Amino acid sequence: MSEREKILEIKHLKTYFPIKGTLFKGKAGLVKAVDDISFDVFKGETLGIVGESGSGKSTLGRTILRLTEPTDGEIIFEGNHLEHLGNRQLQKHRQHMQMVFQDPFASLNPRMRVGQLVGEPIAVQKILSKAERTRKIESLIEKVGLPKEALAKFPHEFSGGQRQRIGIARALSMNPKFIIADEPVSALDVSVQSQVLNLMLDLQEEFNLTYLFISHDLSVVKHISDRVGVMYLGRIVEIGPKHDIYNNPLHPYTQALLSAIPIVNFEKKREKIQLSGEPPSPSDPPTGCAFHTRCPKAFDRCKVERPELIHNESGQQVACHLYSQEDNKKILNAESKILQLTKQS
Amino acid sequence: MKTLMGNAKNINLIIGLLILISFLLLMIVSFFYTPHDVTAMNVANKLKGPNSENWFGTDEFGRDIFSRIMKGTQTAFFVGTLTVTIGVVFGTLIGGIAGYVGGWIDEVFMRIMDALMAFPGIILALMLVAVFGSGIVNTSIALGLIAIPSIARIARSGFVQHKEYEYVLSAKLIGVKPFKIMFRHILPNVSSPLIVAASVSFGVAMLAEAALSYLGLGVKPPDPSWGRMLKDSQAFLKSAPWYTYAPGIAITFMVLGFYMLSNAIRDILDPRSN
């Protein structure tokens, strides 16, 4: 695989939520929001995580920051294990990891002025003098494309896109290395989405940031990501470089997702894969491969055995029994080679 | 000051302030002067209707009702303010911690509140006054204690709801201390129902004080209290209705004044309403 420096390693991360039972039945069950997920994030890249609602992608983001406690597994940020740290220790490492939230209306305290909101992280850190703090707040708000006058206003005086810029400035004021963006543009108008995405890309370059970008929107993820992971029912079913995922999806679920993106091209007809049924409940996931109930290519083994992620040569990983046998692996590699050749030609 | 001026159109603020300032002035004056001695009895003059000498008439002992209403303002302000302060401070603290921390602390705190609520308020106050002695301070403390559970519940529900909001998560992520998150971030956002509850409990406190005074456990006679005047006048509701009207209207206006002012304060504190 790549020799780039890993900034974050996730190993067998699990987040289960107990369902509160009735008086006589103590525990009614578990919702496996994040179910045995492992992946790495490399320095300076953007890893996009896509999945439909309820697939656990937001829980994944929150668990990495331990806003939700993990049930099991390891979270290693810059070589430090975060999963068992006490509050004070955790905060020391967590200041390099920040989050940009989904809803720009809920993520900014309505009773605080923008200056306070952006300056709060700096105030908490207590490393800058008051004058330095003011200067930093002003430079941050200008970096995200808002005028200085904005600092004296309240969040409700801004539009959704402007608020998201304030949220980004707030996250940046901690000098983070790693930002988890949880659907940062899904609440915004399409015209504003691209502005915010481009701002995030510019800031990534300027501050050398690493993003974990969570979204349900495949085209947004395609725009911003270097690598993409696809989640289904608390598991990662496929992860790999953006071009491989979008041009050569291996997992039947990814194939179905991508075939659902509307394209403006009347000559080229594309086969649309329609999935039947609803996604199963994460409190009662199907046995074996979680996707087998809706998979058009499912066979007997899928119902019994849970597939593990397997690699191919280009760094694409997929959790599907279609590719898990030895000869299938060869086919997989051959397929991707052919793809690369056709791309070159 | 700027926000106050900006809300000059706010009718709640003007009327609320007007009522409360009048009562406040009445109270201050009553420390030095009342038209008649509040305790001087004159049986020959009893139960007289309003006239130029006794503006609100006289009670069954011939005492001047207007003077007693004036003097009663002191009791009303004292009991009301102390009760509401105790109720709001402890109610918010207990409810806030229970809601924000959750888990067994929530269970323990709220079950204690349930236990407090299970007692009829007056009986609890009776018990407390019986143990610690009667008097205006003990009465207020007892009434404040009774006000705690309902305010704690309101505070708890607000904190439970808001602790999952993204702005709280964001503050946590930044490393803001839990106490500061609770009282600097969440409290201002959940204060509206608390302010309303406080103004309601102000009215309840005055009526409860009346009941306690009636039982001889509140303000000691012959010091006037609106509540006891209201109770005492019951017997003469038909023959001397003005006797009931005077304390009744005084309590109504006092509670109304507080209610309007608290509504206005709530609006002023909310930056979105400007």
Side-chain angles (χ1 to χ4, degrees):
Chain A
M1 289 227 5
S2 172
E3 283 151 38
R4 280 183 298 164
E5 198 185 336
K6 289 173 188 169
I7 191 165
L8 178 77
E9 291 172 69
I10 302 296
K11 289 182 182 166
H12 303 291
L13 192 67
K14 293 172 188 164
T15 309
Y16 297 165
F17 297 112
I19 304 168
K20 243 188 174 176
T22 53
L23 184 62
F24 301 106
K25 209 173 144 205
K27 248 188 199 172
L30 284 173
V31 173
K32 298 182 174 179
V34 174
D35 194 10
D36 201 351
I37 283 184
S38 306
F39 62 86
D40 299 326
V41 183
F42 302 102
K43 217 167 198 161
E45 74 163 353
T46 300
L47 173 63
I49 299 283
V50 284
E52 56 198 299
S53 28
S55 62
K57 48 193 197 307
S58 288
T59 310
L60 173 67
R62 288 182 183 192
T63 308
I64 292 171
L65 293 172
R66 280 195 53 198
L67 288 172
T68 304
E69 288 298 319
T71 310
D72 195 21
E74 295 169 54
I75 308 162
I76 306 161
F77 180 70
E78 293 189 309
N80 300 300
H81 281 261
L82 298 187
E83 67 273 10
H84 296 305
L85 289 181
N87 268 335
R88 195 166 294 171
Q89 283 293 316
L90 174 65
Q91 202 50 47
K92 218 173 86 190
H93 297 293
R94 202 160 59 175
Q95 59 177 300
H96 300 299
M97 308 162 81
Q98 282 301 308
M99 193 156 188
V100 175
F101 292 92
Q102 171 172 11
D103 183 353
F105 293 86
S107 61
L108 302 174
N109 189 336
R111 304 277 172 139
M112 287 169 84
R113 288 176 197 277
V114 173
Q116 284 173 289
L117 284 166
V118 177
E120 191 178 32
I122 310 169
V124 169
Q125 283 178 319
K126 291 179 188 150
I127 41 172
L128 295 181
S129 72
K130 208 156 191 188
E132 286 174 309
R133 202 193 301 168
T134 318
R135 218 172 308 135
K136 177 148 191 207
I137 296 171
E138 283 175 357
S139 87
L140 276 171
I141 204 79
E142 281 173 357
K143 283 254 158 65
V144 299
L146 291 174
K148 268 188 208 167
E149 290 72 42
L151 292 170
K153 294 185 182 168
F154 284 103
H156 71 268
E157 296 171 61
F158 296 92
S159 68
Q162 288 171 321
R163 282 172 181 230
Q164 204 54 291
R165 286 167 190 267
I166 296 166
I168 292 170
R170 182 170 155 92
L172 281 179
S173 68
M174 292 289 275
N175 292 326
K177 298 172 184 164
F178 178 58
I179 290 183
I180 295 181
D182 184 1
E183 304 246 17
V185 297
S186 58
L188 308 177
D189 289 342
V190 178
S191 57
V192 183
Q193 281 189 356
S194 61
Q195 291 173 14
V196 172
L197 289 177
N198 289 333
L199 171 70
M200 287 183 72
L201 286 171
D202 292 344
L203 294 170
Q204 179 170 40
E205 209 164 295
E206 185 171 351
F207 294 102
N208 195 21
L209 298 169
T210 309
Y211 288 139
L212 181 73
F213 193 95
I214 298 165
S215 180
H216 65 268
D217 189 331
L218 288 157
S219 37
V220 165
V221 166
K222 188 178 183 183
H223 179 70
I224 198 162
S225 305
D226 302 310
R227 288 194 303 138
V228 176
V230 181
M231 274 185 82
Y232 185 77
L233 224 63
R235 303 167 187 188
I236 286 190
V237 294
E238 183 164 7
I239 184 167
K242 170 169 75 178
H243 293 290
D244 293 351
I245 298 278
Y246 279 84
N247 296 327
N248 179 30
L250 296 175
H251 198 282
Y253 178 61
T254 318
Q255 290 167 356
L257 274 187
L258 289 173
S259 79
I261 301 180
I263 40 167
V264 192
N265 188 346
F266 296 106
E267 281 152 36
K268 195 174 132 197
K269 276 254 166 155
R270 190 174 47 174
E271 193 195 351
K272 203 166 182 180
I273 308 167
Q274 288 217 325
L275 292 179
S276 56
E278 295 278 310
S281 158
S283 64
D284 184 22
T287 54
C289 174
F291 187 57
H292 84 254
T293 50
R294 300 168 76 196
C295 182
K297 294 174 186 168
F299 50 99
D300 287 345
R301 192 177 167 195
C302 302
K303 291 172 190 161
V304 192
E305 195 184 327
R306 179 172 166 177
E308 297 295 321
L309 279 174
I310 48 171
H311 297 261
N312 78 351
E313 282 169 357
S314 63
Q316 196 172 356
Q317 300 173 52
V318 63
C320 182
H321 288 310
L322 282 175
Y323 308 100
S324 64
Q325 278 135 8
E326 270 310 302
D327 19 318
N328 279 346
K329 233 182 229 175
K330 275 177 210 151
I331 297 169
L332 182 70
N333 286 332
E335 264 183 10
S336 71
K337 255 175 214 156
I338 292 165
L339 191 83
Q340 274 164 4
L341 287 173
T342 47
K343 242 189 275 171
Q344 281 161 14
S345 61
Chain B
M1 206 52 221
K2 209 173 158 193
T3 41
L4 271 178
M5 297 304 284
N7 276 269
K9 274 175 271 171
N10 190 330
I11 198 131
N12 275 338
L13 184 73
I14 296 172
I15 298 181
L17 272 180
L18 217 63
I19 293 174
L20 288 181
I21 287 173
S22 329
F23 274 120
L24 219 58
L25 286 176
L26 214 58
M27 182 186 82
I28 293 166
V29 172
S30 76
F31 277 112
F32 311 105
Y33 168 79
T34 48
H36 294 266
D37 186 347
V38 289
T39 54
M41 294 190 228
N42 180 1
V43 184
N45 208 21
K46 71 171 184 177
L47 293 175
K48 270 191 145 175
N51 56 52
S52 58
E53 183 61 27
N54 306 106
W55 292 353
F56 290 176
T58 59
D59 65 8
E60 75 271 35
F61 300 113
R63 295 176 295 198
D64 179 40
I65 293 177
F66 181 70
S67 304
R68 291 180 65 77
I69 292 282
M70 263 180 89
K71 200 81 183 170
T73 331
Q74 295 174 12
T75 317
F77 267 114
F78 188 85
V79 173
T81 317
L82 191 58
T83 302
V84 169
T85 309
I86 292 172
V88 168
V89 169
F90 288 97
T92 309
L93 209 61
I94 291 170
I97 291 172
Y100 185 74
V101 179
W104 66 269
I105 291 182
D106 183 20
E107 287 293 326
V108 171
F109 277 21
M110 291 329 281
R111 290 305 79 77
I112 293 173
M113 291 298 105
D114 285 349
L116 262 178
M117 264 193 157
F119 286 102
I122 275 298
I123 301 215
L124 188 68
L126 264 176
M127 189 183 81
L128 290 167
V129 171
V131 173
F132 296 106
S134 69
I136 188 164
V137 177
N138 282 348
T139 307
S140 309
I141 293 174
L143 293 176
L145 209 62
I146 294 166
I148 291 174
S150 60
I151 289 177
R153 282 187 167 196
I154 294 168
R156 178 183 175 273
S157 70
F159 275 80
V160 163
Q161 188 190 1
H162 277 253
K163 76 171 173 184
E164 299 296 334
Y165 279 12
E166 290 182 339
Y167 76 87
V168 175
L169 293 182
S170 147
K172 260 191 209 169
L173 208 51
I174 279 163
V176 183
K177 300 265 186 300
F179 199 78
K180 213 173 167 192
I181 292 182
M182 285 174 63
F183 295 105
R184 291 287 294 281
H185 287 250
I186 301 181
L187 186 59
N189 286 299
V190 300
S191 60
S192 305
L194 287 173
I195 290 172
V196 174
S199 66
V200 169
S201 69
F202 185 88
V204 173
M206 267 196 293
L207 293 176
E209 180 267 324
L212 282 180
S213 300
Y214 184 71
L215 295 168
L217 292 169
V219 183
K220 288 200 183 87
D223 281 346
S225 118
W226 293 353
R228 209 179 48 240
M229 288 170 78
L230 199 63
K231 284 276 183 185
D232 290 346
S233 67
Q234 272 177 20
F236 312 102
L237 195 55
K238 267 197 179 141
S239 55
W242 58 86
Y243 186 8
T244 312
Y245 293 160
I249 289 170
I251 291 173
T252 308
F253 270 92
M254 185 83 142
V255 174
L256 189 71
F258 259 91
Y259 182 73
M260 291 180 110
L261 187 71
S262 58
N263 264 339
I265 290 172
R266 187 193 62 194
D267 291 345
I268 289 167
L269 287 179
D270 187 349
R272 280 162 299 191
S273 68
N274 295 332

